[in-house]
Amino acid sequence: NDCRKAVKHGTRLLRRHLLPVHLLFRKVQFLPPLRLMLPGHLRQDPALLQHHYWLLDENDLKQNTLLILASDQGVNDRGAREHRSGEFIERGVQYDEKHQVFCMIQYPMITDKNPGEIGDLTGIIDIAPTIMDICGLEIRDNLDGKSLKTLLEGSRTWDNEREIIIQCPRKRERNKWENLSIKYKNWRFVDGKELYNIKNDRGQNLN
């Protein structure tokens, strides 16, 4: 119960974007000695992230703090020199540039042994089961995501055989095959009629 309350509290903090950042920095302790840190809205300011790290080190919290940083949505390759499709265009929400986001997970007891970038297919739905797994809690069967703990550990037991379905209805009206992407490894099946392999076609131009 304490864990669920903490995760619920942390999720609420992520959504309170209008409050000052220093109010969003909270250490939520729910299963000693592990802490969960959800820093909230960083406003794309590296100095704020550096400040969070300083607070962790200054208070001897780094080793037992699970730090999760992620964007809330894709940014259409904003800031890149070139759009992945070859030109800066506004396509529908069913393409990868609207889904692919930055996500960093740090828990030194695990990630210090296997640092670096991971390119496996994952989703925001994996955050909750990952937290539960690291906390030693039973992962409920009704969760859509899967724990990333073994992936973060670099374990060979990680199973990348999975599909992720993303549908973004406009005006909150869901229609069959509309604004839909089914993801499997390097494959993307879009709107029920377009098939792309992003390994050789990152821009999803060659159907």
Side-chain angles (χ1 to χ4, degrees):
N1 288 335
D2 289 341
C3 177
R4 294 190 184 98
K5 291 179 182 178
V7 173
K8 182 178 180 181
H9 179 61
T11 303
R12 187 168 67 251
L13 290 179
L14 281 174
R15 295 174 179 171
R16 292 163 59 185
H17 294 331
L18 299 180
L19 294 181
V21 173
H22 69 273
L23 292 180
L24 289 168
F25 176 69
R26 306 286 176 85
K27 300 185 295 294
V28 183
Q29 183 173 0
F30 50 91
L31 278 180
L34 175 64
R35 292 180 177 86
L36 170 67
M37 177 179 165
L38 298 169
H41 191 36
L42 293 178
R43 301 179 184 175
Q44 301 179 349
D45 188 344
L48 294 176
L49 179 57
Q50 184 178 10
H51 181 64
H52 288 311
Y53 277 118
W54 177 84
L55 287 174
L56 290 175
D57 285 332
E58 185 72 11
N59 293 279
D60 295 323
L61 297 173
K62 181 179 178 180
Q63 290 301 314
N64 62 347
T65 297
L66 173 60
L67 174 63
I68 302 175
L69 297 174
S71 171
D72 63 339
Q73 59 184 350
V75 293
N76 197 37
D77 288 348
R78 184 170 59 230
R81 293 184 178 179
E82 184 179 23
H83 192 279
R84 68 185 66 196
S85 67
E87 56 182 304
F88 280 98
I89 59 175
E90 279 290 344
R91 301 193 289 186
V93 295
Q94 60 270 56
Y95 297 96
D96 269 19
E97 63 263 21
K98 298 297 180 67
H99 309 153
Q100 189 173 12
V101 300
F102 164 84
C103 180
M104 185 188 79
I105 300 178
Q106 176 185 279
Y107 184 45
M109 296 182 184
I110 295 176
T111 54
D112 279 3
K113 300 176 183 178
N114 187 45
E117 297 183 10
I118 298 175
D120 291 58
L121 182 62
T122 60
I124 197 68
I125 56 175
D126 300 327
I127 297 298
T130 300
I131 293 173
M132 298 177 74
D133 195 9
I134 291 177
C135 290
L137 301 176
E138 181 181 357
I139 300 175
R140 300 171 62 176
D141 295 335
N142 61 349
L143 293 179
D144 291 328
K146 59 189 299 184
S147 171
L148 304 178
K149 183 172 180 286
T150 55
L151 179 62
L152 296 172
E153 292 172 334
S155 173
R156 294 182 179 180
T157 61
W158 166 255
D159 183 9
N160 66 350
E161 287 289 333
R162 68 180 311 192
E163 302 85 26
I164 293 182
I165 300 175
I166 297 180
Q167 186 175 26
C168 302
R170 300 289 85 186
K171 300 179 181 178
R172 302 305 176 189
E173 296 179 1
R174 189 183 304 275
N175 299 310
K176 185 177 181 179
W177 295 115
E178 185 179 48
N179 296 323
L180 176 71
S181 176
I182 301 177
K183 303 173 185 286
Y184 173 73
K185 294 186 177 180
N186 292 319
W187 294 97
R188 303 291 184 266
F189 190 45
V190 174
D191 287 348
K193 58 185 179 182
E194 302 173 12
L195 182 64
Y196 303 98
N197 187 328
I198 63 169
K199 181 177 181 180
N200 303 315
D201 179 27
R202 182 172 178 267
Q204 293 176 268
N205 295 315
L206 305 175
N207 179 22

